[in-house]
mmCIF file with all atom_site columns, all heavy atoms in Angstrom:
data_model
loop_
_atom_site.group_PDB
_atom_site.id
_atom_site.type_symbol
_atom_site.label_atom_id
_atom_site.label_alt_id
_atom_site.label_comp_id
_atom_site.label_asym_id
_atom_site.label_entity_id
_atom_site.label_seq_id
_atom_site.pdbx_PDB_ins_code
_atom_site.Cartn_x
_atom_site.Cartn_y
_atom_site.Cartn_z
_atom_site.occupancy
_atom_site.B_iso_or_equiv
_atom_site.pdbx_formal_charge
_atom_site.auth_seq_id
_atom_site.auth_comp_id
_atom_site.auth_asym_id
_atom_site.auth_atom_id
_atom_site.pdbx_PDB_model_num
ATOM 1  N N   . GLU A 1 15 ? 16.432 25.234 -18.224 1.00 97.00 ? 313 GLU A N   1
ATOM 2  C CA  . GLU A 1 15 ? 17.118 26.087 -17.254 1.00 97.00 ? 313 GLU A CA  1
ATOM 3  C C   . GLU A 1 15 ? 16.448 27.457 -17.180 1.00 97.00 ? 313 GLU A C   1
ATOM 4  O O   . GLU A 1 15 ? 16.097 28.068 -18.206 1.00 97.00 ? 313 GLU A O   1
ATOM 5  C CB  . GLU A 1 15 ? 18.594 26.252 -17.663 1.00 97.00 ? 313 GLU A CB  1
ATOM 6  C CG  . GLU A 1 15 ? 19.420 27.086 -16.715 1.00 97.00 ? 313 GLU A CG  1
ATOM 7  C CD  . GLU A 1 15 ? 20.875 27.195 -17.145 1.00 97.00 ? 313 GLU A CD  1
ATOM 8  O OE1 . GLU A 1 15 ? 21.228 26.659 -18.225 1.00 97.00 ? 313 GLU A OE1 1
ATOM 9  O OE2 . GLU A 1 15 ? 21.669 27.807 -16.409 1.00 97.00 ? 313 GLU A OE2 1
ATOM 10 N N   . GLY A 1 16 ? 16.290 27.956 -15.944 1.00 97.00 ? 314 GLY A N   1
ATOM 11 C CA  . GLY A 1 16 ? 15.678 29.257 -15.749 1.00 97.00 ? 314 GLY A CA  1
ATOM 12 C C   . GLY A 1 16 ? 14.165 29.218 -15.559 1.00 97.00 ? 314 GLY A C   1
ATOM 13 O O   . GLY A 1 16 ? 13.582 30.170 -15.039 1.00 97.00 ? 314 GLY A O   1
ATOM 14 N N   . ARG A 1 17 ? 13.546 28.082 -15.951 1.00 98.00 ? 315 ARG A N   1
ATOM 15 C CA  . ARG A 1 17 ? 12.101 27.972 -15.799 1.00 98.00 ? 315 ARG A CA  1
ATOM 16 C C   . ARG A 1 17 ? 11.766 27.368 -14.441 1.00 98.00 ? 315 ARG A C   1
ATOM 17 O O   . ARG A 1 17 ? 12.647 26.987 -13.664 1.00 98.00 ? 315 ARG A O   1
ATOM 18 C CB  . ARG A 1 17 ? 11.522 27.087 -16.921 1.00 98.00 ? 315 ARG A CB  1
ATOM 19 C CG  . ARG A 1 17 ? 11.893 27.533 -18.325 1.00 98.00 ? 315 ARG A CG  1
ATOM 20 C CD  . ARG A 1 17 ? 11.293 28.878 -18.682 1.00 98.00 ? 315 ARG A CD  1
ATOM 21 N NE  . ARG A 1 17 ? 9.850  28.832 -18.800 1.00 98.00 ? 315 ARG A NE  1
ATOM 22 C CZ  . ARG A 1 17 ? 9.192  28.639 -19.956 1.00 98.00 ? 315 ARG A CZ  1
ATOM 23 N NH1 . ARG A 1 17 ? 9.861  28.426 -21.067 1.00 98.00 ? 315 ARG A NH1 1
ATOM 24 N NH2 . ARG A 1 17 ? 7.879  28.639 -19.981 1.00 98.00 ? 315 ARG A NH2 1
ATOM 25 N N   . ILE A 1 18 ? 10.476 27.260 -14.164 1.00 98.00 ? 316 ILE A N   1
ATOM 26 C CA  . ILE A 1 18 ? 10.037 26.687 -12.891 1.00 98.00 ? 316 ILE A CA  1
ATOM 27 C C   . ILE A 1 18 ? 9.919  25.170 -13.002 1.00 98.00 ? 316 ILE A C   1
ATOM 28 O O   . ILE A 1 18 ? 9.455  24.641 -14.011 1.00 98.00 ? 316 ILE A O   1
ATOM 29 C CB  . ILE A 1 18 ? 8.683  27.295 -12.453 1.00 98.00 ? 316 ILE A CB  1
ATOM 30 C CG1 . ILE A 1 18 ? 8.270  26.772 -11.077 1.00 98.00 ? 316 ILE A CG1 1
ATOM 31 C CG2 . ILE A 1 18 ? 7.616  27.034 -13.498 1.00 98.00 ? 316 ILE A CG2 1
ATOM 32 C CD1 . ILE A 1 18 ? 7.049  27.485 -10.497 1.00 98.00 ? 316 ILE A CD1 1
ATOM 33 N N   . SER A 1 19 ? 10.386 24.477 -11.964 1.00 98.00 ? 317 SER A N   1
ATOM 34 C CA  . SER A 1 19 ? 10.170 23.028 -11.850 1.00 98.00 ? 317 SER A CA  1
ATOM 35 C C   . SER A 1 19 ? 9.120  22.815 -10.776 1.00 98.00 ? 317 SER A C   1
ATOM 36 O O   . SER A 1 19 ? 9.216  23.400 -9.694  1.00 98.00 ? 317 SER A O   1
ATOM 37 C CB  . SER A 1 19 ? 11.450 22.305 -11.435 1.00 98.00 ? 317 SER A CB  1
ATOM 38 O OG  . SER A 1 19 ? 12.449 22.406 -12.417 1.00 98.00 ? 317 SER A OG  1
ATOM 39 N N   . ILE A 1 20 ? 8.140  21.989 -11.072 1.00 98.00 ? 318 ILE A N   1
ATOM 40 C CA  . ILE A 1 20 ? 7.096  21.659 -10.098 1.00 98.00 ? 318 ILE A CA  1
ATOM 41 C C   . ILE A 1 20 ? 7.042  20.146 -9.941  1.00 98.00 ? 318 ILE A C   1
ATOM 42 O O   . ILE A 1 20 ? 6.738  19.424 -10.887 1.00 98.00 ? 318 ILE A O   1
ATOM 43 C CB  . ILE A 1 20 ? 5.720  22.193 -10.529 1.00 98.00 ? 318 ILE A CB  1
ATOM 44 C CG1 . ILE A 1 20 ? 5.765  23.712 -10.685 1.00 98.00 ? 318 ILE A CG1 1
ATOM 45 C CG2 . ILE A 1 20 ? 4.654  21.787 -9.494  1.00 98.00 ? 318 ILE A CG2 1
ATOM 46 C CD1 . ILE A 1 20 ? 4.468  24.323 -11.186 1.00 98.00 ? 318 ILE A CD1 1
ATOM 47 N N   . LEU A 1 21 ? 7.376  19.702 -8.740  1.00 98.00 ? 319 LEU A N   1
ATOM 48 C CA  . LEU A 1 21 ? 7.340  18.271 -8.444  1.00 98.00 ? 319 LEU A CA  1
ATOM 49 C C   . LEU A 1 21 ? 6.172  18.008 -7.498  1.00 98.00 ? 319 LEU A C   1
ATOM 50 O O   . LEU A 1 21 ? 5.994  18.721 -6.512  1.00 98.00 ? 319 LEU A O   1
ATOM 51 C CB  . LEU A 1 21 ? 8.644  17.807 -7.820  1.00 98.00 ? 319 LEU A CB  1
ATOM 52 C CG  . LEU A 1 21 ? 9.869  17.949 -8.727  1.00 98.00 ? 319 LEU A CG  1
ATOM 53 C CD1 . LEU A 1 21 ? 10.704 19.142 -8.328  1.00 98.00 ? 319 LEU A CD1 1
ATOM 54 C CD2 . LEU A 1 21 ? 10.706 16.690 -8.703  1.00 98.00 ? 319 LEU A CD2 1
ATOM 55 N N   . ASN A 1 22 ? 5.393  17.001 -7.807  1.00 98.00 ? 320 ASN A N   1
ATOM 56 C CA  . ASN A 1 22 ? 4.166  16.738 -7.071  1.00 98.00 ? 320 ASN A CA  1
ATOM 57 C C   . ASN A 1 22 ? 4.241  15.477 -6.221  1.00 98.00 ? 320 ASN A C   1
ATOM 58 O O   . ASN A 1 22 ? 4.975  14.536 -6.553  1.00 98.00 ? 320 ASN A O   1
ATOM 59 C CB  . ASN A 1 22 ? 2.992  16.618 -8.048  1.00 98.00 ? 320 ASN A CB  1
ATOM 60 C CG  . ASN A 1 22 ? 2.684  17.916 -8.729  1.00 98.00 ? 320 ASN A CG  1
ATOM 61 O OD1 . ASN A 1 22 ? 2.476  18.935 -8.085  1.00 98.00 ? 320 ASN A OD1 1
ATOM 62 N ND2 . ASN A 1 22 ? 2.682  17.905 -10.059 1.00 98.00 ? 320 ASN A ND2 1
ATOM 63 N N   . CYS A 1 23 ? 3.451  15.489 -5.169  1.00 98.00 ? 321 CYS A N   1
ATOM 64 C CA  . CYS A 1 23 ? 3.424  14.360 -4.237  1.00 98.00 ? 321 CYS A CA  1
ATOM 65 C C   . CYS A 1 23 ? 2.009  14.260 -3.666  1.00 98.00 ? 321 CYS A C   1
ATOM 66 O O   . CYS A 1 23 ? 1.418  15.279 -3.282  1.00 98.00 ? 321 CYS A O   1
ATOM 67 C CB  . CYS A 1 23 ? 4.447  14.600 -3.128  1.00 98.00 ? 321 CYS A CB  1
ATOM 68 S SG  . CYS A 1 23 ? 4.497  13.346 -1.839  1.00 98.00 ? 321 CYS A SG  1
ATOM 69 N N   . ASP A 1 24 ? 1.470  13.063 -3.625  1.00 97.00 ? 322 ASP A N   1
ATOM 70 C CA  . ASP A 1 24 ? 0.154  12.822 -3.039  1.00 97.00 ? 322 ASP A CA  1
ATOM 71 C C   . ASP A 1 24 ? 0.280  11.789 -1.923  1.00 97.00 ? 322 ASP A C   1
ATOM 72 O O   . ASP A 1 24 ? 1.118  10.894 -2.007  1.00 97.00 ? 322 ASP A O   1
ATOM 73 C CB  . ASP A 1 24 ? -0.824 12.306 -4.103  1.00 97.00 ? 322 ASP A CB  1
ATOM 74 C CG  . ASP A 1 24 ? -1.062 13.324 -5.185  1.00 97.00 ? 322 ASP A CG  1
ATOM 75 O OD1 . ASP A 1 24 ? -1.722 14.334 -4.902  1.00 97.00 ? 322 ASP A OD1 1
ATOM 76 O OD2 . ASP A 1 24 ? -0.566 13.112 -6.315  1.00 97.00 ? 322 ASP A OD2 1
ATOM 77 N N   . TYR A 1 25 ? -0.553 11.928 -0.906  1.00 97.00 ? 323 TYR A N   1
ATOM 78 C CA  . TYR A 1 25 ? -0.522 10.965 0.178   1.00 97.00 ? 323 TYR A CA  1
ATOM 79 C C   . TYR A 1 25 ? -1.942 10.518 0.519   1.00 97.00 ? 323 TYR A C   1
ATOM 80 O O   . TYR A 1 25 ? -2.911 11.202 0.205   1.00 97.00 ? 323 TYR A O   1
ATOM 81 C CB  . TYR A 1 25 ? 0.196  11.539 1.411   1.00 97.00 ? 323 TYR A CB  1
ATOM 82 C CG  . TYR A 1 25 ? -0.409 12.795 1.988   1.00 97.00 ? 323 TYR A CG  1
ATOM 83 C CD1 . TYR A 1 25 ? -1.305 12.739 3.055   1.00 97.00 ? 323 TYR A CD1 1
ATOM 84 C CD2 . TYR A 1 25 ? -0.077 14.053 1.479   1.00 97.00 ? 323 TYR A CD2 1
ATOM 85 C CE1 . TYR A 1 25 ? -1.851 13.881 3.593   1.00 97.00 ? 323 TYR A CE1 1
ATOM 86 C CE2 . TYR A 1 25 ? -0.629 15.200 2.008   1.00 97.00 ? 323 TYR A CE2 1
ATOM 87 C CZ  . TYR A 1 25 ? -1.507 15.112 3.067   1.00 97.00 ? 323 TYR A CZ  1
ATOM 88 O OH  . TYR A 1 25 ? -2.055 16.253 3.599   1.00 97.00 ? 323 TYR A OH  1
ATOM 89 N N   . THR A 1 26 ? -2.025 9.355  1.119   1.00 95.00 ? 324 THR A N   1
ATOM 90 C CA  . THR A 1 26 ? -3.355 8.796  1.399   1.00 95.00 ? 324 THR A CA  1
ATOM 91 C C   . THR A 1 26 ? -3.700 8.800  2.891   1.00 95.00 ? 324 THR A C   1
ATOM 92 O O   . THR A 1 26 ? -4.865 8.766  3.248   1.00 95.00 ? 324 THR A O   1
ATOM 93 C CB  . THR A 1 26 ? -3.432 7.342  0.889   1.00 95.00 ? 324 THR A CB  1
ATOM 94 O OG1 . THR A 1 26 ? -2.402 6.563  1.521   1.00 95.00 ? 324 THR A OG1 1
ATOM 95 C CG2 . THR A 1 26 ? -3.233 7.288  -0.626  1.00 95.00 ? 324 THR A CG2 1
#
Side-chain angles (χ1 to χ4, degrees):
Chain A
E313 182 179 3
R315 306 294 292 266
I316 184 172
S317 295
I318 301 177
L319 297 103
N320 293 306
C321 177
D322 297 289
Y323 59 96
T324 58

